[in-house]
Amino acid sequence: MEDKSLGNILLEHTSLTEAQLEEGLIVQREKSIKLGEALVQLKFIRAEDILKAISIQLGIPYLSHLKTDEIPVEIVQRVPINFAKRNELIPMKKDGDEIEVAIADPINIHALDDLRILLGSPIRPIIASSVHITDAINDIYNRNTETNRAVMEDLTEENLDTIAQELEEPQDLLDASDEAPIIRLVNSLLFRAVKAKASDIHVEPFEKDLVVRFRIDGVLYDIMHPPKKVQNSVISRIKIMANLNIAEKRLPQDGRIRIKIAGKDIDIRVSTLPTSFGESVVMRLLDKSKVLLSMDTIGIVGENFKKVTELINKSHGIVLVTGPTGSGKTTTLYSMLSSINSSDLKIITVEDPVEYQLPGINQIQVNSNIDLTFAAGLRSILRQDPDVVMVGEIRDRETAEIAIQASLTGHLVISTLHTNDSASSVTRLIDMGVEPFLVASSVIAIMAQRLVRTVCKQCGTQYSPSQDEITQIGLNLKEMEGKLVYKAKGCPACMDTGYAGRTGIHEILPVDDEIRGMIMKNVESGRIKRRAMEKGMRTLREDGAQKVLDGETTIEEVLRVTQEDQVRSE
């Protein structure tokens, strides 16, 4: 493929300018990557634009969406799943003697030749994105998996009583032959949750029914209501998978399930809690095969990216990431560590629990049963000669003081704290009993963050916002001049929500000499925040507004996530 001809096509069919193309060519040469990849990294064009340009260049059709329900299973089953995933391809349909194949890289002649031999038919390639192909592969190779409705139909009135009676005694659970519908129901729930990219599964018993809900992109959705009679059976099945005591129903329990679904290694944290109508179960899903996200892919971009990169390359000090539960703090810490991870740095973490394994990094799991707390782990870590230390969370004065001592003796410490904004983290540490002068001398920056849902690429529509919307989000008419923003619409691909996936919005408070002086005087956090804003700190809402202008999210979503913080700072 001639890069220049691809560049000309992009100039003709996209908003790419000559200057941007020149910059892309420079990055291409410097990083030894494809031109398209360079232009996408620079955010000049989208990955879809590259695929369309290649389609025009090679005269091969481009598909923006793959309809998996129309793909014949009998053809796909002749292609090994590992081959399909490795080469990012999937057969779509048979057209006469030829088989139409969706492929992410149509230049991969070897894969197409192997497929032709495998299927014994001529191959006609079409271009599709690797993301859509991977989703289609996972979907089609699990076409034979029972749907929830089909599994529910197995729970007929005739066998409900039998199953319930046989499962009264814990020891019968593994041997009960009539329990197959329960196994299928639980397996189906897990598969459906992974397919829907759910972060949590909630199994909640109420007086007259059992409710199953999924949390997807931070929002709970009602999924199904199995009969009340199978409540004990379903919960016992989950507890057995998590190696929990199924006879103990009066105390909360925690466990883990490790499974493989659609080629993905899934680690599930299981928590049970006794309620008035039975045990409530929450399962947190962690996709261990998922590539660890870099800082730019989780929303730390532009000026914030430069600030964070500068902070995590310092030799000592504490960098705090703050926000409520579920705001992506741990993922941010992991992305920071990944960006500085190298053979010349010794990095050690102490976490509760270790969520993802990071190659080249020593990770310690907190274990309260043997008194391995954050503080005890951190104290031991410092004897291991680390350069960078990650503490999963600062929960008490002892942990905070050891972290501060570590930072003052030449270590970079990154950690999280449960506070609502950046400035209130100072107050939180002082409330724990840490002296203000210790906070001032050790903390070098505090970053607050939230997660906002991103617009679904399939159905997001552009529009001109009203004056009221522009004012609410903190923009002005000059900034909005000639710009369109997205609003959520809804389609089957995004469960009619209008959103797919999430990204972060951030507020970075650098602790300079003036802010340090305010901390030592124990100044109220609101005044610290106002002074930081006067000095140029971009608030959560302002960062959210920028992501609205970039077409990543909507005004409504940013207002929803930052409403409480805006009221607090006014």
Side-chain angles (χ1 to χ4, degrees), residues 343-354:
S343 59
D344 60 342
L345 282 181
K346 170 100 171 188
I347 302 175
I348 309 181
T349 75
V350 53
E351 307 169 56
D352 183 22
V354 173

Side-chain angles (χ1 to χ4, degrees), residues 307 508 510 530-539 542:
K307 288 178 182 176
I508 301 174
R530 281 192 292 275
R531 183 62 191 130
M533 289 168 64
E534 289 167 9
K535 298 177 73 158
M537 181 183 79
R538 188 159 71 176
T539 64
E542 286 168 345

Side-chain angles (χ1 to χ4, degrees), residues 324-344:
T325 302
S327 59
K329 299 186 297 296
T330 305
T331 301
T332 298
L333 293 189
Y334 280 155
S335 69
M336 288 176 174
L337 292 181
S338 294
S339 66
I340 59 173
N341 188 13
S342 63
S343 59
D344 60 342

